[in-house]
Amino acid sequence: MTLTDLSNGFRDDEQRRRVQAVIHDRLADDRDQQECRFLMRFWWQLSMSYREVSMRDLRLNVGQEKLEALEALINAIRSSHARIDAWAAGAEWVFPIVEDRGLRGSSGSES
């Protein structure tokens, strides 16, 4: 399945930016750099009409829960704007905001 058609599925730039924010803030955790790299390629592809990442890449590099969320997003993008909004709201409910625990931990040790 090609993912080059995704940039055309959003109602407007605001909806696309909201979805990208969910991916960036809640799915792409840089503590798992390989997974994060492929999630950010997918994030980028939502704005572009060329191939940045494939489903095969995602299946090989993204954990099961996040992969299922991406597959649901792809289906929503190809279905309706309302389903995209519902996906974003659901993902915000399921996935907490990723915090940089390393930075927080190191700043507490310098007193």
Side-chain angles (χ1 to χ4, degrees):
M1 160 180 14
T2 181
L3 303 177
T4 57
D5 63 330
L6 299 179
S7 63
N8 300 321
F10 296 98
R11 175 177 43 249
D12 52 26
D13 285 340
E14 182 179 334
Q15 186 179 49
R16 180 189 43 77
R17 282 192 301 269
R18 180 178 183 204
V19 167
Q20 287 179 308
V22 170
I23 292 168
H24 180 272
D25 296 345
R26 297 171 183 271
L27 299 179
D29 186 342
D30 63 0
R31 290 173 293 169
D32 183 341
Q33 291 187 0
Q34 183 73 359
E35 181 183 75
C36 184
R37 182 178 299 112
F38 282 89
L39 286 167
M40 293 311 295
R41 286 180 180 175
F42 180 77
W43 175 93
W44 184 256
Q45 191 154 322
L46 294 177
S47 300
M48 300 298 153
S49 59
Y50 59 84
R51 183 177 154 207
E52 190 67 31
V53 68
S54 68
M55 278 307 299
R56 182 178 185 278
D57 293 333
L58 294 174
R59 286 186 187 111
L60 291 173
N61 295 287
V62 175
Q64 188 62 37
E65 184 179 20
K66 292 177 184 180
L67 180 62
E68 289 172 4
L70 293 181
E71 289 171 340
L73 171 59
I74 292 165
N75 289 332
I77 292 170
R78 291 181 172 152
S79 298
S80 74
H81 299 141
R83 285 191 61 198
I84 296 170
D85 290 335
W87 179 88
E92 289 170 342
W93 178 259
V94 171
F95 296 99
I97 293 176
V98 174
E99 297 181 25
D100 184 352
R101 292 173 184 86
L103 177 63
R104 203 171 25 156
S106 67
S107 65
S109 63
E110 296 180 30
S111 298

